Amino acid sequence: MAWTGSLLRGYVHPDVNLFHPLPNGDRGVVALKDVKEGTELVVLPTANTLHMPTQELLHSSPEDAYSEAAHFLANHAMKPSPFIATVMLLLAEMAKGEASPFATYIKSLPEEVDCLLAWDDRDKEELKGTSIEDPTGGASTQGTFDKEVAPKMQERPDLWPAPFNSFAQFCRAAGLVQSRAFHMVEENWVLNTRQEGTDLYLIPAIDMINHASNPAHRNSSLLKLNSAKTVQLGDGEASFSGFFLMKADRDIRSGEQVLHTYGDHSDAALLQTYGFIDDGNAGSSSSSSSSHQTSSPQVADRSGGSKVQAGDQGQVTGKAGQGSETKDRGAPSSSAASVGSREPWVNPHNHALVPFSLVEQCTRGMLAEAMAGQQDFDEQLQ
């Protein structure tokens, strides 16, 4: 909590524990006392998130608002993708050690990340015949590193010294960004349209909150607001403009885990992005602490991504994967979302792969039945 209390000037409500051990061995955010609906659980200034700024933001901000690595990548002739840029920014902060303003946050990150980027070939054999048989989409992680990352690191060994310029460190950082970053999604509430954006954010404290696939078990949502905010910090206060806010969407009882959504994903998408599958029971909701999209108004998804609402008065954001809404997914009763409850629930976003030959066979069978008695059926079908 140090990186949200003093160093980074954020706020964590005193009645929640960010690092509560869960029965399954993971960590989760748990209420220490009863928390009322609408309570601000975590507030973090946008300036204290790790993200790659746009050129416009970079030029309109003070020179020291962003790291030297961010300036280097933003002005590079071969600009990296937002994902690669965020990974490289994280590695640059890791290389600074205690000198990094994110040092305490980085120490809290897991050494191993169980998303599919970390799976070896033997593990990936288990995916054969599934919708994520090729989890990298045909791309080679080693090839991406050799072509897009290593050359830039070699240009600035002062920013990416050994061992933080290695493929092994790149894989760890990529897994952390893949499973923890929030991905902004542009949402037009007037036209009822949504468009995936490119901004990715690593958000200390807020990325500790776990995912619930079942909407009835979610009790919080993430907003990104572009307005001024003042919070009490001990005997003093801190003011900032632009911040992420995690708030309680309903009353949360003492001992209950704080849960939101990384997006309305299928089990396959959850496994591919975050390394887990959630069976829909509140007591087994999945951890991001080993692993969000947003809009303008913005909705966020966890890079996997989770979603958050955005705009001048509020944005929605989530993790860096696919997008998902965090508001009004059906008001759950307090008892329905209590930790440990068990409800029959099936992920409505799952789908099955069906071979085209089977589709063709079934279609021909139905047509044959419908055209019974007609001559030259095959010829007519052609």
Side-chain angles (χ1 to χ4, degrees):
M1 295 175 66
W3 30 271
T4 55
S6 56
L7 185 60
L8 293 184
R9 296 170 48 245
Y11 167 80
V12 177
H13 195 280
D15 291 340
V16 299
N17 178 5
L18 290 181
F19 305 102
H20 186 84
L22 301 177
N24 62 2
D26 287 326
R27 298 176 297 183
V29 178
V30 171
L32 301 176
K33 298 179 181 179
D34 290 348
V35 175
K36 293 293 186 182
E37 177 181 355
T39 298
E40 297 178 350
L41 304 174
V42 184
V43 181
L44 193 73
T46 305
N48 293 334
T49 64
L50 188 58
H51 67 280
M52 184 66 198
T54 62
Q55 281 284 358
E56 179 182 1
L57 185 58
L58 197 65
H59 293 316
S60 63
S61 302
E63 182 71 20
D64 61 353
Y66 290 95
S67 66
E68 190 173 352
H71 283 273
F72 169 74
L73 294 174
N75 295 312
H76 199 279
M78 299 294 290
K79 290 183 177 60
S81 68
F83 178 82
I84 295 297
T86 307
V87 173
M88 294 186 70
L89 289 179
L90 177 58
L91 285 168
E93 294 301 325
M94 289 177 169
K96 294 177 184 177
E98 293 297 329
S100 170
F102 296 94
T104 308
Y105 168 63
I106 290 172
K107 288 178 182 178
S108 75
L109 298 175
E111 285 298 323
E112 297 182 358
V113 183
D114 198 24
C115 67
L116 266 59
L117 284 175
W119 286 28
D120 58 27
D121 291 339
R122 186 175 61 178
D123 291 333
K124 292 174 184 175
E125 286 289 320
E126 301 293 332
L127 300 174
K128 284 194 173 180
T130 72
S131 60
I132 49 175
E133 181 172 347
D134 182 5
T136 61
S140 162
T141 306
Q142 181 73 60
T144 298
F145 175 77
D146 292 342
K147 182 179 179 180
E148 301 183 32
V149 179
K152 295 181 179 65
M153 289 181 164
Q154 291 166 5
E155 291 180 43
R156 293 297 304 269
D158 56 321
L159 299 178
W160 293 282
F164 300 99
N165 57 3
S166 68
F167 178 64
Q169 288 290 331
F170 169 76
C171 288
R172 179 187 177 228
L176 290 168
V177 173
Q178 171 78 8
S179 58
R180 305 184 75 88
F182 289 79
H183 189 188
M184 307 299 288
V185 173
E186 300 294 331
E187 184 173 74
N188 187 316
W189 292 337
V190 176
L191 300 178
N192 194 29
T193 60
R194 298 175 60 235
Q195 180 178 355
E196 184 173 324
T198 57
D199 295 341
L200 286 176
Y201 294 83
L202 283 172
I203 311 177
I206 287 175
D207 68 2
M208 295 298 300
I209 300 176
N210 288 329
H211 164 85
S213 291
N214 189 339
H217 296 155
R218 303 169 190 166
N219 52 24
S220 63
S221 59
L222 180 60
L223 305 173
K224 182 178 183 296
L225 298 108
N226 298 323
S227 55
K229 178 75 174 178
T230 299
V231 297
Q232 295 295 321
L233 296 177
D235 296 331
E237 60 182 29
S239 299
F240 37 78
S241 59
F243 58 95
F244 285 91
L245 164 66
M246 183 64 77
K247 69 180 185 66
D249 282 346
R250 60 168 176 80
D251 291 350
I252 303 175
R253 298 187 301 185
S254 177
E256 186 177 349
Q257 187 178 174
V258 178
L259 299 169
H260 73 136
T261 174
Y262 299 172
D264 288 334
H265 306 315
S266 67
D267 290 343
L270 288 171
L271 178 62
Q272 182 167 7
T273 305
Y274 308 112
F276 66 75
I277 293 176
D278 179 15
D279 67 6
N281 297 310
S284 64
S285 293
S286 304
S287 169
S288 68
S289 50
S290 59
S291 91
H292 305 249
Q293 290 177 27
T294 310
S295 58
S296 181
Q298 290 176 316
V299 181
D301 242 6
R302 242 175 130 155
S303 233
S306 310
K307 289 190 181 179
V308 183
Q309 282 187 319
D312 290 341
Q313 296 303 318
Q315 295 174 314
V316 183
T317 129
K319 290 205 181 177
Q322 295 76 5
S324 67
E325 306 201 354
T326 46
K327 299 195 56 139
D328 290 332
R329 295 207 168 271
S333 66
S334 179
S335 60
S338 299
V339 173
S341 66
R342 288 289 187 268
E343 296 181 310
W345 186 83
V346 177
N347 190 336
H349 305 285
N350 286 342
H351 59 276
L353 291 179
V354 180
F356 180 76
S357 59
L358 181 58
V359 175
E360 182 181 28
Q361 179 182 344
C362 292
T363 302
R364 291 176 68 90
M366 289 187 291
L367 286 173
E369 184 177 347
M371 301 173 70
Q374 299 189 35
Q375 299 293 320
D376 303 321
F377 166 71
D378 286 335
E379 183 178 327
Q380 291 184 47
L381 184 59
Q382 294 297 332

